[in-house]
Amino acid sequence: MQQRVIISQDIEHDLAQAIAETEHDRVFVLTDDITQECCLPKVAVLFAKHNATIITIRHDDTNKTLATLADVWTALQRGGATRHSLLVNLGGGMVTDLGGFAAATFKRGINFINIPTTLLAMVDAAVGGKTGINFGGLKNEVGAFANARYVIVNTCFLDTLDTANLCSGYAEMLKHSLISNAQMWAEHVNFDILQPDLAELQRMVAASIAVKEHIVADDPHEHGIRKALNFGHTIGHALEEFSMQQPGGAVVSARLLQLARARTAPKNTLLHGYAVAFGLIGELYISARKAGFPTARLYQTARFIRENYGAVAFTCDDYPTLLNLMRHDKKNTSGTINFTLLHDIGDIRINQTATDEEIREALDFIREGY
């Protein structure tokens, strides 16, 4: 089943139409405690008309677990959900990932609609059919490919976000431009994400989603070109997982904490998009080293990230741990760390490898400045 993405100008009208066009005997809404407070009021009247059952889970990625998934299954079961029921996932990437997996597995699959409320979820997690939970200390270790019937994207929810979460989502947009075209990349590295024009950002979000949709349509189950969407994520996921393992998650710089304390992450934990941003720097460095990516564009992208995301705090003593985390990446084969690299913007090289020494050099580049 192919999902339909709606770039919405009227969230209540578009959601009402999507529900009407999706089979349902009962409507359930999955949200987290912060989204329930900040975003649910924008659509609460419509859900009340459908006598929807609200299921609320705790926010942040540390709760994207098997235990939380079981709580959602239990709530669906107790609420009388059948194979003909509908689950609406209202929230950020944690909610759409976990809610999509819950819907894909409950009664062997029920319909679901994603309404992403963070920039990261709009351009990444809610689109493309990937669902899942974290397991064994690893990101998205267990999951399934399952498409939402509709993904409804409206930037009206972004006025509830702090700056850190806006920046987090914007990193995925920057990734999309790097794997797409130089015009989009130039627009992204010149946009003021710290004081964004939300109307302009909605146009850019639509273009970014189109990049992902095109790639996913060509390769829905990640056998080939869809691996391009993992650019920046091999190193990025390792940094993110590493931050979760530290006491208090203390792996971010003072600059990030000064910028904004994100309400949707544990104290000092590296937000996903920040990890991806630093991963982009490292994997652009490897791209320049091994695939001929232009160094001028490497440094321009790195400067943009440094100015807007600060720096990530780790030392060379942490390299063995980070390399071990990279070896657990789902893209790997036979223990070899797999990368997507770029020869230039939009010129993609999938299924590439790098030596441990080359990866250490990339980590040096991230850590020591550029």
Side-chain angles (χ1 to χ4, degrees), residues 20-336:
E21 294 176 359
T22 304
E23 179 189 20
H24 63 277
D25 55 4
R26 292 179 176 86
V27 177
F28 294 80
V29 179
L30 179 67
T31 187
D32 65 47
D33 47 3
I34 287 181
T35 306
Q36 183 178 32
E37 175 188 348
C38 297
C39 301
L40 183 60
K42 294 179 184 286
V43 285
V45 172
L46 178 61
F47 288 138
K49 288 179 182 178
H50 286 277
N51 197 28
T53 299
I54 309 299
I55 304 170
T56 305
I57 58 179
R58 295 185 63 184
H59 69 276
D60 86 53
D61 208 66
T62 60
N63 290 301
K64 198 168 81 172
T65 63
L66 186 59
T68 305
L69 179 66
D71 288 342
V72 175
W73 285 332
T74 300
L76 289 169
Q77 190 175 61
R78 288 177 177 170
T82 72
R83 292 189 69 181
H84 306 285
S85 296
L86 170 66
L87 180 63
V88 180
N89 299 314
L90 176 74
M94 189 274 277
V95 169
T96 60
D97 277 358
L98 188 145
F101 191 34
T105 48
F106 186 78
K107 304 285 188 183
R108 295 187 177 143
I110 63 174
N111 284 324
F112 66 100
I113 293 171
N114 285 339
I115 308 176
T117 59
T118 67
L119 185 57
L120 179 62
M122 289 176 186
V123 299
D124 184 42
V127 180
K130 282 187 176 180
T131 71
I133 58 170
N134 303 334
F135 186 76
L138 299 175
K139 286 275 295 179
N140 302 321
E141 182 77 351
V142 179
F145 287 99
N147 280 330
R149 287 294 299 270
Y150 292 91
V151 179
I152 305 174
V153 176
N154 191 307
T155 53
C156 70
F157 295 108
L158 297 185
D159 63 8
T160 69
L161 282 190
D162 55 34
T163 304
N165 276 291
L166 277 173
C167 287
S168 183
Y170 196 75
E172 291 284 357
M173 294 177 63
L174 181 59
K175 177 202 72 178
H176 286 158
S177 69
L178 284 163
I179 64 175
S180 179
N181 66 80
Q183 182 178 349
M184 181 183 288
W185 168 79
E187 181 178 45
H188 284 180
V189 295
N190 287 290
F191 185 72
D192 186 356
I193 188 57
L194 301 185
Q195 295 181 308
D197 178 331
L198 290 184
E200 180 69 5
L201 186 59
Q202 172 131 333
R203 180 192 62 78
M204 295 167 66
V205 165
S208 189
I209 291 172
V211 171
K212 182 167 185 178
E213 281 192 293
H214 176 74
I215 291 173
V216 170
D218 284 348
D219 180 19
H221 295 114
E222 202 172 58
H223 297 306
I225 193 60
R226 182 166 178 163
K227 295 176 183 179
L229 295 171
N230 292 314
F231 185 60
H233 284 61
T234 300
I235 293 175
H237 273 162
L239 290 170
E240 185 177 7
E241 290 160 1
F242 176 70
S243 78
M244 293 178 182
Q245 296 173 7
Q246 304 313 298
V251 68
V252 296
S253 70
R255 164 65 174 152
L256 171 56
L257 298 180
Q258 178 185 355
L259 186 65
R261 173 115 29 215
R263 291 182 300 170
T264 55
K267 183 179 179 181
N268 295 359
T269 297
L270 197 62
L271 291 170
H272 173 76
Y274 280 75
V276 169
F278 300 127
L280 290 175
I281 293 171
E283 293 179 32
L284 283 174
Y285 176 88
I286 297 172
S287 294
R289 177 95 150 69
K290 295 180 67 72
F293 187 83
T295 55
R297 287 176 166 173
L298 162 63
Y299 280 97
Q300 187 172 352
T301 306
R303 280 195 301 271
F304 175 84
I305 292 170
R306 169 70 86 178
E307 290 168 2
N308 291 283
Y309 296 79
V312 60
F314 60 94
T315 73
C316 56
D317 291 337
D318 300 316
Y319 289 6
T321 300
L322 290 166
L323 283 163
N324 186 55
L325 287 167
M326 290 179 216
R327 290 190 180 96
H328 283 90
D329 193 282
K330 294 181 293 297
K331 301 181 295 296
N332 296 338
T333 55
S334 303
T336 301

